[in-house]
Amino acid sequence: RNADILLSLELIRTMASLTLGRVSSAVSRRAAARTAAGREFSTMLSISEEFPGLPSTTPTAAKASSASVTALSNGLTVVTEDASSTSTISLTYPGAGSSGESASEAGAALANKCLAFKSGSGLSSVVILRNIEDDGATPFVTAGRKGVTVGFTAAPDKAVRLVPLLATDCSFEKWDVRDAKKFAATEVGLANSDAQLTLTDQIYAAAYGAQSPMGRPYYTDGATTDSIISFRERTYTLNGAVLAATGVSDHESFVRAVEEGFSEANAEAPAEAPSSGYMGGEARLSAPSTGFAHVALAFEGPASSPLINVLKHCLALSSAEGVSAFSAPGLIGVYGGAASAGGSPVADALFSA
């Protein structure tokens, strides 16, 4: 009888073990099936096992930008910051805007803008642009009444090599000058058909006088070759210019590279720019074919950019619907527009802003 009892207990243990094994196996199969279904075409390996060498999906911690400033002996100011993932390098000549033109140089600022990245310092236009494009950089140039800025955006490891191309000594090849004059004439045509740009010219004419350096239109063509050359030689100088760069981790090394790359660039003392005093006034331009009235009311603005931005924001908050605040170099004001028949209510709305 004892033997029968022992046999029965052994049988029960065996059956329980088999049952637990089948349950465990079923659970494992169901879990594997769910994993396979979730992964679909993937194997049941971890991501690191299946795709070795993947970069970390956890982004690097953001850091605050740190700015560094160095004034070089040639008068150039170098400003860098180290937080950007790309490098934008810009060289600003503050005296090379149209407000620096003499009466005989009208249109020279625009023509010289169109000569950016053209032949100079023994390099042709093709070589200059090919070097920029081969490094994946994007060149740009902006200009106006208050200076000109030339620059490019590139990967940080490519930027330093391209910096000297920003300050090449233009050789004024006849084909480059010819093309620059054509491009300038095209820009003037486009500006004359743009109501906003035309209104801006009228604002400056009223504020400073139509014949003053600040009051004359920036978009002017017809500059002579001699005036283009004389304007560039006088205003495109490193003395007083600002070189700004983003994504520069080693400021001192960058400054040394700039000193070496700009060693032969023009660094003469800039000539005194023609002065323009704020007068205030009114300017009108009749364009009945447009059927629309553009009206602006402007005031002399502070020299501080942060302050002028604050004032612009205050004007925007206090302005009625349909009235916009704006700022331009030396000016701040409000703008509105309506069908020609409704011009008077727009003027009233500007005065109440």
Side-chain angles (χ1 to χ4, degrees):
R1 182 175 180 82
N2 291 336
D4 292 339
I5 291 173
L6 292 174
L7 182 60
S8 297
L9 290 174
E10 185 66 27
L11 181 60
I12 290 171
R13 283 196 295 268
T14 302
M15 292 178 65
S17 178
L18 291 173
T19 300
L20 290 174
R22 286 197 295 270
V23 170
S24 177
S25 179
V27 170
S28 298
R29 286 197 299 271
R30 283 197 294 272
R34 283 196 299 270
T35 302
R39 301 281 299 277
E40 293 185 344
F41 299 108
S42 177
T43 65
M44 291 187 295
L45 299 173
S46 67
I47 291 294
S48 59
E49 291 173 332
E50 187 172 0
F51 304 107
L54 278 180
S56 173
T57 57
T58 302
T60 56
K63 67 173 183 177
S65 175
S66 175
S68 302
V69 182
T70 298
L72 304 183
S73 59
N74 58 8
L76 176 68
T77 300
V78 181
V79 184
T80 67
E81 70 85 44
D82 59 1
S84 179
S85 59
T86 60
S87 286
T88 296
I89 316 293
S90 63
L91 178 60
T92 299
Y93 298 103
S98 62
S99 63
E101 297 173 343
S102 65
S104 62
E105 293 173 336
L110 178 59
N112 273 289
K113 173 203 169 188
C114 297
L115 279 171
F117 302 108
K118 297 300 183 181
S119 304
S121 300
L123 303 174
S124 69
S125 303
V126 173
V127 171
I128 292 173
L129 291 175
R130 183 175 294 167
N131 272 274
I132 293 173
E133 292 173 355
D134 284 351
D135 280 350
T138 303
F140 61 85
V141 55
T142 60
R145 285 175 169 79
K146 289 284 191 176
V148 61
T149 298
V150 293
F152 60 84
T153 298
D157 60 326
K158 303 290 186 180
V160 174
R161 190 184 79 85
L162 299 175
V163 166
L165 298 180
L166 296 179
T168 54
D169 184 15
C170 185
S171 58
F172 301 102
E173 302 296 343
K174 59 181 181 181
W175 50 85
D176 287 334
V177 175
R178 178 196 61 212
D179 291 344
K181 290 179 180 180
K182 289 182 178 179
F183 293 147
T186 300
E187 287 199 35
V188 170
L190 293 174
N192 289 339
S193 63
D194 188 311
Q196 301 293 332
L197 292 177
T198 302
L199 179 63
T200 300
D201 282 343
Q202 292 299 308
I203 293 171
Y204 276 101
Y208 295 97
Q211 299 305 316
S212 68
M214 282 290 288
R216 289 194 296 265
Y218 164 69
Y219 289 98
T220 303
D221 61 354
T224 65
T225 300
D226 288 341
S227 67
I228 294 172
I229 295 174
S230 66
F231 178 81
R232 193 177 190 96
E233 290 177 344
R234 191 179 75 254
T235 60
Y236 280 66
T237 172
L238 294 182
N239 195 334
V242 177
L243 181 71
T246 64
V248 176
S249 58
D250 188 342
H251 176 77
E252 297 301 328
S253 175
F254 181 78
V255 169
R256 289 193 296 270
V258 169
E259 286 181 308
E260 181 180 352
F262 287 178
S263 59
E264 297 182 3
N266 177 20
E268 295 181 1
E272 185 177 353
S275 61
S276 296
Y278 182 86
M279 301 186 306
E282 180 187 20
R284 301 188 185 191
L285 181 64
S286 176
S289 60
T290 63
F292 198 87
H294 299 270
V295 186
L297 177 65
F299 310 90
E300 184 178 18
S304 169
S305 295
L307 181 55
I308 204 169
N309 288 332
V310 171
L311 293 175
K312 176 184 173 182
H313 185 63
C314 292
L315 284 175
L317 292 176
S318 63
S319 299
E321 184 178 356
V323 176
S324 302
F326 72 90
S327 62
L331 298 175
I332 185 171
V334 286
Y335 158 81
S340 297
S344 295
V346 172
D348 295 338
L350 297 185
F351 280 107
S352 64

